[in-house]
Amino acid sequence: MSDLLFRGGRVFLAADAFAEAVLVRDGRIAAVGAESDVAGLAAPGHETVDLDGGLLTPGFTDAHLHPVQAGLERARCDLSGIYGLPRYLERITAYAASHPGHEWIDGGGWDMSAFPGGLPHRSQLDVVDRPVYLIQRDHHAAWVNSRALELAGITRDTPDPADGRIERDADGTPSGVLHEGAMDLVGLLTPRPTASDLYDALMEAQNHLFSLGVTGWQDAIVGSYAGYDDQLPTYVSAAASGALRARVVGALWWDRARGAEQIPELLERRRSAEGLERFRAGSVKIMQDGITENFTAAVIEPYCRCGGTGLSYVDPALLRECVAELDRHGFQVHFHAIGERAVREALDSFEGTDPANRHHIAHLQIVEPSDLPRFAKLGVTANLQPLWATHHAQMDELTLPFLGEERSAWQYPFADLQRNGTLFCAGSDWPVSDADPIQGMHVAVNRTEPGGSIHAGYPTAQTPFLPGQSLTLATALTAYTAGSARINHDDDAGTIVPGNRADLVVLDRDPFTEPAADIWRTKVAMTFIDGQEVYRR
C-alpha cells in the first residue's frame, strides 16, 4: 500500500486545533502537521488526496443505531422521508400492488405527529387486502390493520402485556396501534427474514453509513425485539468473511421479562464473537422505559392532562443487582432512558460500578437537574441523539403539553451536562432518525431543524429549542468521533494522531469557516477505513 497524503484544506484535531496535512502509511496515521513538513515525509510515488478547501476529520462512530433493522425497512414498505396520511397510504397501496406475492405488508417509518393525538387507526389500512404491520419511526409502536389483529387473535378481551399497551376505541375494540411490548403480539407473526435477507440488510446499511462518513458503530439492540430477529449470527458471519468493513460493537438485548439468570446466556453470546477483528459483543442494552409521546417514558411527577408516570421496565432494585453483576463480568451497560425517573434509575444502578467499562445512557430526553452532576461523578457517558432537540410537531403537539413548563425545560440538557464535566458520545438511532452525523451536529449547535428535514416546514422548526443547551461545533464533532470511538473501546481511532488507524472522512467544505446555520449543507466527499477508500461522492 503506497503512502497517502491528504493536503489542500484543514485537518480537525481537537477543539480549536487544526493541521494542514496528514500522511497515511500502511493504514495508520504516519504524520500530522504543516503541509511543508508532512509532504516531505511521503515516499516516492505516494498518492495525494486534494481536500479542495474541505475538512479532514476522523471517521464518525455512531454510538446508537439499528442498521440491520434500517436495511430491512429500506427493502420493505419504507415510509421514512415522507409525511402525512395521504402520502403514507399512497406508498402502502403502491407497495402492496407491486408485491402481490407477499403474504404480509410490513415495514415502517411513520411519524406519530402525522395523526391526531399521535394515533393512526386500523381502518385506514383496511384498504389493503392482506395483514399489515408497520413500525412507528421511533420503534415504540406498530400500526396494524383489522386482518392483522384478527390473525393475532387480539380482541377487546385481550389484556395489555406488562410492558406495553393495546390502544383501544371507546368501546374497547383494539384501534390498530400497539405500544411497546404489545408490538410482539403481531410482529412475531410476520414472515421471518432469511439469513440472506439479514445479510443483505447489513450490507445495504453499511454502504449507506459509509456514504455519511460513519466508519464504526454500536448496534443498540442485538437480539430479538419488536418483531425483528436476532442479528448476532449475521454480524458474526459478515465479520468472519471480511464483508464487515466497519468496526462494530453489538449491544446484546436484555430481556426485560427476566433477571440475572440470563447473564450466562449473554456471556455465551459474547464468546461467540471472540477473535473477530471487526465485531465485538461486549455491551448489553437495557431499555428502562418507553417514550414521552405515548406516555411510557418513566417520569417522576404524573404527565399533565392524562396522568400516569410511565413504565419502568426493570424493577429498580433488580436493576441495581443485574447491572452490578454485568459490570463484574466486564460488560459495558448501554441504557435507553427517556424520562427523568428512568435516567435516575439508570444512574442509581451505576453506583459502585467500574468506570473502565465505559457505561453510557442514551437519549436523555429529560434529566432532573439534581442528577446532572452524577454522570461525571459515576464516570457515565451521555449518549446524545441531537436530532431530537428541536421544535417539531412531535415535540410541540405530543410532548410539551404533557410535560408541563418546568419539566419541558429539562429536555436534552447538553450544555448543562457539559458544564458538569460529563463525557459525550453521539448517535442517530437510525432508522428512528436520519443517520447523517452532520445533521445531528447541526442540531446540537443550532437547536433547530436542519434545512433539509421533512419537518423543516413546520411553523416553529427554525425557532431554537432551549438554545441555552447548544454545544459548539467542535464539541459536537468530538462526540461523534473521539467520544463514540471511546465508548466502543476503540482507542486507536477517533482522533488524528500518529499511530492511530487511518479511518478518515473528507468533507466537501470546512463547516468551521461557514455560518452555523449552514452546517447541515456539509456533505461527505470521501470515506476511508484503514487508509483505503470505501466511499467517494
Side-chain angles (χ1 to χ4, degrees):
M1 184 186 301
S2 62
D3 285 4
L4 188 60
L5 175 66
F6 293 86
R7 56 160 299 280
R10 290 207 299 174
V11 180
F12 176 76
L13 300 180
D16 297 323
F18 295 86
E20 294 179 345
V22 169
L23 180 66
V24 172
R25 179 174 294 150
D26 297 328
R28 297 265 169 181
I29 307 295
V32 181
E35 183 176 333
S36 58
D37 296 332
V38 174
L41 300 174
H46 68 270
E47 298 180 32
T48 298
V49 175
D50 184 358
L51 300 178
D52 194 24
L55 184 71
L56 183 69
T57 79
F60 305 136
T61 298
D62 190 311
H64 183 109
L65 81 173
H66 311 280
V68 178
Q69 290 92 325
L72 288 172
E73 287 185 15
R74 287 163 69 91
R76 296 176 179 175
C77 186
D78 183 11
L79 304 181
S80 64
I82 61 174
Y83 186 80
L85 180 60
R87 296 194 67 189
Y88 291 157
L89 291 180
E90 179 183 10
R91 181 161 295 181
I92 292 164
T93 54
Y95 182 87
S98 62
H99 295 81
H102 283 204
E103 182 183 354
W104 283 68
I105 303 302
D106 58 351
W110 57 275
D111 195 312
M112 292 180 72
S113 65
F115 300 93
L119 299 171
H121 197 268
R122 66 179 187 277
S123 60
Q124 295 156 336
L125 294 177
D126 286 344
V127 295
V128 179
D129 61 358
R130 281 163 278 170
V132 181
Y133 177 81
L134 299 169
I135 293 177
Q136 177 231 1
R137 180 174 63 92
D138 287 352
H139 282 219
H140 288 268
W143 178 21
V144 301
N145 66 355
S146 298
R147 180 61 178 146
L149 290 168
E150 178 186 350
L151 288 173
I154 301 174
T155 70
R156 70 181 64 194
D157 298 319
T158 303
D160 289 341
D163 62 346
R165 186 174 78 248
I166 301 168
E167 200 69 43
R168 303 173 192 270
D169 293 337
D171 65 356
T173 303
S175 71
V177 175
L178 307 172
H179 298 286
E180 307 294 341
M183 298 166 68
D184 280 347
L185 299 176
V186 170
L188 294 177
L189 301 179
T190 61
R192 299 295 87 198
T194 65
S196 178
D197 291 335
L198 293 169
Y199 177 87
D200 290 346
L202 177 58
M203 293 298 101
E204 162 70 16
Q206 178 174 249
N207 288 336
H208 180 63
L209 292 166
F210 285 167
S211 76
L212 301 174
V214 176
T215 58
W217 63 80
Q218 184 158 149
D219 190 316
I221 298 180
V222 175
S224 300
Y225 169 73
Y228 284 107
D229 290 344
D230 179 20
Q231 66 273 44
L232 179 61
T234 307
Y235 274 117
V236 170
S237 174
S241 71
L244 185 66
R245 300 288 302 280
R247 283 175 171 80
V248 179
V249 169
L252 303 175
W253 177 242
W254 180 265
D255 184 347
R256 56 204 185 200
R258 303 169 65 198
E261 72 276 7
Q262 66 189 288
I263 292 179
E265 299 166 25
L266 295 172
L267 289 166
E268 181 56 37
R269 284 166 65 76
R270 183 171 68 180
R271 281 192 290 270
S272 73
E274 287 180 352
L276 297 172
E277 180 186 358
R278 305 278 173 164
F279 179 76
R280 295 187 302 103
S283 187
V284 172
K285 167 67 175 296
I286 300 177
M287 185 179 289
Q288 184 58 7
D289 68 344
I291 58 174
T292 57
E293 294 85 356
N294 65 9
F295 317 121
T296 56
V299 294
I300 295 171
E301 298 296 329
Y303 287 97
C304 305
R305 301 189 186 182
C306 64
T309 57
L311 301 173
S312 291
Y313 289 135
V314 183
D315 176 81
L318 177 63
L319 187 67
R320 288 191 289 274
E321 295 174 8
C322 293
V323 168
E325 187 168 349
L326 289 168
D327 179 74
R328 284 193 293 271
H329 284 288
F331 277 112
Q332 175 189 87
V333 178
H334 177 164
F335 265 105
H336 163 117
I338 293 280
E340 73 272 19
R341 189 178 83 236
V343 172
R344 180 169 292 174
E345 290 166 351
L347 289 168
D348 289 347
S349 76
F350 286 137
E351 292 282 354
T353 58
D354 185 354
N357 288 326
R358 304 183 188 179
H359 305 303
H360 51 125
I361 305 176
H363 309 326
L364 301 168
Q365 180 169 349
I366 312 170
V367 183
E368 204 278 331
S370 67
D371 285 321
L372 292 167
R374 300 181 65 199
F375 287 81
K377 178 184 177 183
L378 296 170
V380 174
T381 298
N383 188 332
L384 311 181
Q385 282 65 61
L387 271 173
W388 305 347
T390 70
H391 282 289
H392 50 268
Q394 195 160 309
M395 173 63 73
D396 290 357
E397 298 171 10
L398 301 179
T399 300
L400 296 180
F402 301 95
L403 294 184
E405 184 175 353
E406 180 182 34
R407 187 162 48 195
S408 292
W410 300 344
Q411 293 189 86
Y412 305 113
F414 302 161
D416 284 346
L417 285 164
Q418 185 180 34
R419 281 188 282 269
N420 279 277
T422 307
L423 294 175
F424 289 152
C425 62
S428 63
D429 209 7
W430 185 53
V432 171
S433 44
D434 196 324
D436 187 353
I438 298 295
Q439 306 305 304
M441 293 178 213
H442 176 96
V443 175
V445 173
N446 294 282
R447 305 284 287 205
T448 59
E449 287 285 317
S453 168
I454 63 171
H455 294 294
Y458 185 68
T460 59
Q462 298 309 317
T463 300
F465 179 74
L466 301 174
Q469 298 299 338
S470 296
L471 299 175
T472 66
L473 177 56
T475 298
L477 177 53
T478 300
Y480 278 99
T481 53
S484 292
R486 175 188 169 276
I487 220 64
N488 270 5
H489 292 266
D490 194 1
D491 294 332
D492 60 352
T495 55
I496 299 178
V497 297
N500 270 12
R501 284 199 324 273
D503 295 352
L504 301 168
V505 176
V506 178
L507 302 181
D508 69 349
R509 67 198 71 194
D510 184 345
F512 287 94
T513 65
E514 302 197 358
D518 290 334
I519 292 171
W520 69 276
R521 298 182 184 276
T522 305
K523 304 297 181 186
V524 169
M526 303 177 74
T527 304
F528 295 82
I529 291 181
D530 297 323
Q532 296 184 343
E533 182 183 312
V534 295
Y535 169 77
R536 181 187 292 261
R537 189 180 177 195

